[in-house]
Amino acid sequence: MLQGKEVLLGVTGGIAAYKSVLLLRELIKEGANVHVIMTKSAQNFVAPLTFQTLSGNQVTTEIFTLFSSSKIGHISLADRADLLVIAPATANIIGKIANGIADDFLTTMVMATRVPVLFAPAMNTNMWASPVVQANISRLKSMGYNFMEPAEGELACGTTGRGKLADVDEIMEDIKTLLSPNDLAGEKILITAGPTEEAIDPVRCITNRSSGKMGYNLAMVARRRGAEVTLISGPSCLPVPCGLPTIHCTTALEMERIIHENLDNATMVIMAAAVADFRPAEKSEKKIKRLGDHCLDLEPNPDILAGLGKIKGKRFLVGFAAETNDLVANAREKINRKNLDMIVANNVSTCGAGFCCDTNIIKIIDRDGTIYDFPQMSKEQVAEVILDHVVASRKKDGKEQ
Ligand code: C5P
């Protein structure tokens, strides 16, 4: 996701400095080129060599470090970067920057750069609550600096409360948000995910192998790109994305009801859920015993998406087609029958695509029948590609109107 991005990681002197090693690894795993800048006190917690070895780049610790020929280091780095993240950010660094002090490499660079700056503070609970720290943060926020809320929990100093460095996953999510285009701002999107479950008796059900990964990734990426997202999830083991409004449901009928309850404000619905087409005609209140002959009567579930197609208005509707054969023909038929704007088709019998796995191989089919083919990608990348097409289609629609 961060391929080709230049990220500056500022590390300041708090015990949470060891967690910035994990943050560095995540940044590199996602393809970023990272330059680490350490303050003097940060070097008491972690050796620069650790960051240097993992980043493959020289770690900057001195204010007068020169980079490539004659350009002064902080200017050279500040010019090249896409983003500067300071994690952990101590009360001291926040105070210095808020008050215009530039007495080391990191503080000087914050002033020299025009790229987005993200602070991930970590400090003792009382320090965090101190009016001085809070005033400095408000001042920096009002100037356009970005802040993460520290987490609550047991701190290294022995107290319990707010002040822990935010989770690395959450810092990564904020970094990706700052590096994403804001091209879905103004869109209110309902995204469904996962399977549905239709009870046969108290212990058995009809369901499918959908994990929810595609829908959850779409929800996260759409939020990063500025959309107001509501995730409607069938049963899934995935953790709820931090701070993302999520409504859980079990059956297709529940999912249909929740969608309709939230439809009024929605400008778009993306139905990534694998909704069960049938449910048992009757649910046994008691566990069905093994003895005797059994026959399961099924009745059809409503086709939620086709129902939405009938009351579509100006909403943008995206459907999914999980097929094992005649992929394109089936997808085209669905786009017309369900009155959709776009369909994402994947062959669930192909290795590396469809349910459960972390990757997908998709084709996007437009309302006018154009087919776009994509190679195997992570579901996060697939979500980006789908939303790129949504944005392009929305722009085209806007011009045509
Ligand atoms: O017709 P089919 O079930 O293959 O269509 C798949 C698309 O329709 C998916 O987007 C899925 O979320 C949606 N769907 C639905 N209600 C159903 C079955 C599928 O909305 N009962």
Side-chain angles (χ1 to χ4, degrees):
M1 293 304 298
L2 301 179
Q3 208 68 47
K5 300 287 181 197
E6 290 279 343
V7 175
L8 304 173
L9 171 59
V11 184
T12 68
I15 181 63
Y18 78 92
K19 292 188 189 160
S20 48
V21 177
L22 307 176
L23 177 61
L24 170 63
R25 293 201 63 167
E26 281 305 307
L27 287 164
I28 296 201
K29 211 165 89 189
E30 299 263 1
N33 185 30
V34 187
H35 280 90
V36 178
I37 302 109
M38 299 181 80
T39 60
K40 197 158 182 273
S41 50
Q43 295 164 56
N44 292 321
F45 292 93
V46 185
L49 188 61
T50 307
F51 289 107
Q52 189 152 320
T53 311
L54 291 171
S55 68
N57 286 318
Q58 192 190 335
V59 173
T60 313
T61 52
E62 299 296 330
I63 191 158
F64 295 115
T65 308
L66 290 177
F67 272 80
S68 59
S69 69
S70 63
K71 253 190 153 186
I72 296 291
H74 61 265
I75 306 293
S76 155
L77 274 182
D79 278 352
R80 280 203 316 242
D82 293 293
L83 175 119
L84 165 60
V85 52
I86 304 180
T90 55
N92 181 54
I93 199 88
I94 292 168
K96 284 209 281 190
I97 296 168
N99 291 285
I101 296 170
D103 65 349
D104 64 5
F105 193 94
L106 185 56
T107 47
T108 310
M109 196 168 57
V110 172
M111 264 157 247
T113 192
R114 290 182 174 192
V115 300
V117 180
L118 174 65
F119 288 83
M123 63 195 76
N124 162 277
T125 307
N126 292 342
M127 284 172 85
W128 172 252
S130 123
V132 179
V133 170
Q134 290 305 318
N136 286 335
I137 292 175
S138 299
R139 186 168 155 74
L140 288 171
K141 278 185 180 168
S142 72
M143 293 170 182
Y145 291 98
N146 304 281
F147 273 81
M148 297 204 65
E149 187 76 358
E152 260 182 343
E154 204 180 310
L155 287 133
C157 58
T159 53
T160 303
R162 195 167 288 284
K164 279 166 81 81
L165 184 71
D167 269 359
V168 168
D169 286 352
E170 285 173 34
I171 302 176
M172 285 298 290
E173 190 55 30
D174 274 28
I175 290 173
K176 289 178 185 175
T177 302
L178 286 168
L179 292 173
S180 295
N182 204 30
D183 51 6
L184 286 170
E187 298 282 6
K188 294 188 169 66
I189 315 183
L190 301 182
I191 299 179
T192 65
T196 60
E197 239 176 56
E198 314 291 336
I200 297 169
D201 68 17
V203 296
R204 303 181 180 97
C205 64
I206 297 176
T207 187
N208 57 66
R209 295 196 170 94
S210 170
S211 60
K213 285 177 187 162
M214 194 61 251
Y216 278 54
N217 273 289
L218 276 162
M220 307 260 283
V221 173
R223 175 175 61 171
R224 279 178 212 153
R225 292 172 71 155
E228 220 176 278
V229 177
T230 303
L231 177 63
I232 300 170
S233 174
S236 164
C237 298
L238 298 176
V240 172
C242 179
L244 192 91
T246 304
I247 307 171
H248 293 277
C249 59
T250 305
T251 66
L253 287 174
E254 277 170 24
M255 187 174 275
E256 184 185 43
R257 176 180 51 77
I258 292 166
I259 291 173
H260 284 275
E261 281 170 4
N262 289 275
L263 196 61
D264 276 356
N265 289 327
T267 58
M268 196 181 299
V269 183
I270 304 181
M271 281 289 300
V275 184
D277 287 326
F278 298 95
R279 62 176 182 268
E282 269 175 51
K283 178 190 163 193
S284 167
E285 293 307 320
K286 289 188 182 149
K287 185 182 169 197
I288 299 167
K289 295 289 180 208
R290 175 188 173 86
L291 295 175
D293 294 333
H294 295 294
C295 181
L296 192 59
D297 279 333
L298 298 175
E299 62 186 9
N301 268 327
D303 187 327
I304 304 171
L305 194 50
L308 295 176
K310 290 189 184 127
I311 52 163
K312 186 170 178 293
K314 287 190 173 160
R315 273 180 218 102
F316 195 87
L317 291 186
V318 181
F320 274 69
E323 303 286 351
T324 51
N325 52 287
D326 298 329
L327 189 68
V328 172
N330 284 330
R332 278 201 172 123
E333 183 274 326
K334 248 171 240 181
I335 224 171
N336 291 327
R337 179 166 48 85
K338 302 195 187 196
N339 192 21
L340 308 180
D341 296 283
M342 181 184 291
I343 203 149
V344 180
N346 56 340
N347 187 335
V348 282
S349 59
T350 308
C351 184
F355 294 160
C356 278
C357 51
D358 289 328
T359 56
N360 212 350
I361 306 169
I362 59 154
K363 292 179 196 292
I364 292 179
I365 297 146
D366 269 351
R367 203 169 21 204
D368 63 13
T370 318
I371 302 167
Y372 302 87
D373 258 303
F374 296 93
Q376 184 173 350
M377 290 183 281
S378 73
K379 284 187 172 167
E380 193 179 14
Q381 286 169 316
V382 170
E384 290 279 4
V385 161
I386 292 170
L387 294 171
D388 284 346
H389 270 256
V390 167
V391 169
S393 248
R394 289 296 249 179
K395 271 198 192 135
K396 204 169 127 202
D397 287 353
K399 277 187 197 137
E400 279 166 11
Q401 274 167 17

